[in-house]
């Protein structure tokens, strides 16, 4: 009698176990703790344990043990497993850009190149852009990054901006992986003496990442307001150049090159 009760309990517990979070393993070796909420053809909708957000992955990108688990889940949840819907026919239109989980941590670096007891200051600046592809299965390939470093004149701290550098670089990141781009070091010279101001100070940066089709995946900026002018920034010529606070080119304004070096 006791063995019969245990067998009956095992049938009750088995479906419950499949609803618990599971650590899914992709063929690329990345891990994700989640639970299945729906299956449609090869697409599996997972709810991440970390933030309870949904994520759709292709079951072909998962290991064979996970695929066996998915098959068991489908057998026990036929109402939540459907065949894939046919794609609607489109004429002369392209698919909209898909959202991409790309995150950047920006770490500026500054070092003093001038005498510490002098009003004449020379600082060297670089920016380290730590890009993280947080997708579970999607590679980021053939994307392009654009990094602008900005300065401002000490004589007109609220006036026009100086685009000191404009760097383009390749972005290729595997799922759950990272890459770092470091800007070329630049030196800015300025005076701290309020009675005889001169020179150029650092103002900030703008980072734009676009996919192979030109769709914008990420915009980071400091100050934050600079991120609003992506269209104007992408249209700028090579640096250095002068722009207003809305990143419109000031072609007739001279760049104070005497205070900038690389």
């Amino acid at each position: 009698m006791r063995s019969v009760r245990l067998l009956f309990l095992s049938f009750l517990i088995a479906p419950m176990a499949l609803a618990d979070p599971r650590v899914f393993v992709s063929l690329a070796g990345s891990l994700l703790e989640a639970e299945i909420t729906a299956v449609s053809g090869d697409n599996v909708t997972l709810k991440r344990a970390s933030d309870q957000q949904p994520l759709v992955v292709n079951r072909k990108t998962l290991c064979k043990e996970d695929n066996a688990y998915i098959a068991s889940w489908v057998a026990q949840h036929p109402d939540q497993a459907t065949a894939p819907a046919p794609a609607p026919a489109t004429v002369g239109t392209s698919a909209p850009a898909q959202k991409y989980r790309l995150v950047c941590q920006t770490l500026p670096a500054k070092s003093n190149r001038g005498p510490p007891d002098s009003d004449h200051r020379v600082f060297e600046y670089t920016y380290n852009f730590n890009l993280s592809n947080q997708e579970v299965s999607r590679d980021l390939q053939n994307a392009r990054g654009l990094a602008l470093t900005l300065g401002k004149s000490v004589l007109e701290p609220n006036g026009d901006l100086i685009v000191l550098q404009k760097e383009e670089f390749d972005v290729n990141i595997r799922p759950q992986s990272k890459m770092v781009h470091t800007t070329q070091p630049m030196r800015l010279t300025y005076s701290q003496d309020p009675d005889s101001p001169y020179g150029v100070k650092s103002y900030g940066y703008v980072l734009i990442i676009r996919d192979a089709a030109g769709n914008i995946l990420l915009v980071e900026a400091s100050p934050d307001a600079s991120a609003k002018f992506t269209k104007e920034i992408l249209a700028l010529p090579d640096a250095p150049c002068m722009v207003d606070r809305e990143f419109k080119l000031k072609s007739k304004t001279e760049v104070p090159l005497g205070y900038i070096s690389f």
Side-chain angles (χ1 to χ4, degrees), residues 177-188:
S177 299
K178 299 179 180 180
M179 68 162 285
V180 179
H181 176 76
T182 301
T183 60
Q184 178 185 352
M186 62 180 178
R187 291 188 177 93
L188 302 180

Side-chain angles (χ1 to χ4, degrees), residues 24-252:
F24 290 85
V25 182
S26 74
L27 296 178
S30 58
L31 307 179
L32 175 69
E33 185 179 6
E35 63 180 274
I36 302 174
T37 59
V39 177
S40 177
D42 286 335
N43 293 325
V44 182
T45 302
L46 304 174
K47 183 169 68 174
R48 290 194 298 259
S50 60
D51 56 9
Q52 302 300 300
Q53 293 299 307
L55 179 68
V56 179
V57 301
N58 191 304
R59 64 192 299 174
K60 294 179 181 178
T61 65
L62 300 173
C63 67
K64 64 179 182 180
E65 290 81 7
D66 286 340
N67 273 282
Y69 177 84
I70 293 167
S72 297
W73 189 93
V74 169
Q76 297 188 33
H77 301 80
D79 57 326
Q80 294 170 272
T82 60
T90 58
V91 179
T93 59
S94 58
Q98 294 183 334
K99 291 184 178 180
Y100 208 94
R101 288 176 53 82
L102 182 65
V103 176
C104 180
Q105 181 186 28
T106 303
L107 301 175
K110 180 177 75 170
S111 59
N112 183 12
R113 299 290 177 174
D117 57 349
S118 172
D119 290 328
H120 181 82
R121 312 293 283 173
V122 180
F123 280 95
E124 183 174 278
Y125 297 87
T126 58
Y127 286 97
N128 297 294
F129 299 111
N130 298 274
L131 294 165
S132 174
N133 177 4
Q134 298 191 344
E135 293 289 330
V136 174
S137 59
R138 284 196 292 169
D139 286 320
L140 180 56
Q141 294 182 328
N142 302 318
R144 295 285 289 170
L146 174 66
L148 264 64
T149 51
L150 307 171
K152 61 181 179 180
S153 171
V154 171
L155 295 174
E156 298 182 14
N158 297 315
D160 295 334
L161 300 178
I162 309 165
V163 179
L164 301 166
Q165 294 172 303
K166 182 182 177 182
E167 295 184 0
E168 293 195 52
F169 56 96
D170 295 329
V171 179
N172 296 285
I173 318 175
R174 292 178 60 82
Q176 302 289 298
S177 299
K178 299 179 180 180
M179 68 162 285
V180 179
H181 176 76
T182 301
T183 60
Q184 178 185 352
M186 62 180 178
R187 291 188 177 93
L188 302 180
T189 302
Y190 62 90
S191 170
Q192 294 190 129
D193 185 353
D195 296 327
S196 57
Y198 62 82
V200 173
K201 284 188 172 183
S202 174
Y203 180 76
Y205 68 90
V206 179
L207 175 70
I208 302 173
I209 307 295
R210 291 178 289 173
D211 65 15
N215 301 303
I216 294 177
L217 302 178
L218 175 74
V219 180
E220 294 276 343
S222 178
D224 294 339
S226 298
K228 296 187 298 184
F229 305 105
T230 303
K231 181 179 178 181
E232 291 78 6
I233 291 169
L234 291 173
L236 289 175
D238 291 336
C241 62
M242 300 293 299
V243 297
D244 65 16
R245 294 296 173 118
E246 295 182 350
F247 288 87
K248 295 176 182 176
L249 184 65
K250 306 278 290 198
S251 57
K252 296 183 179 179

Side-chain angles (χ1 to χ4, degrees), residues 13-30:
I13 292 171
M16 295 172 60
L18 287 173
D20 291 337
R22 170 186 175 88
V23 177
F24 290 85
V25 182
S26 74
L27 296 178
S30 58

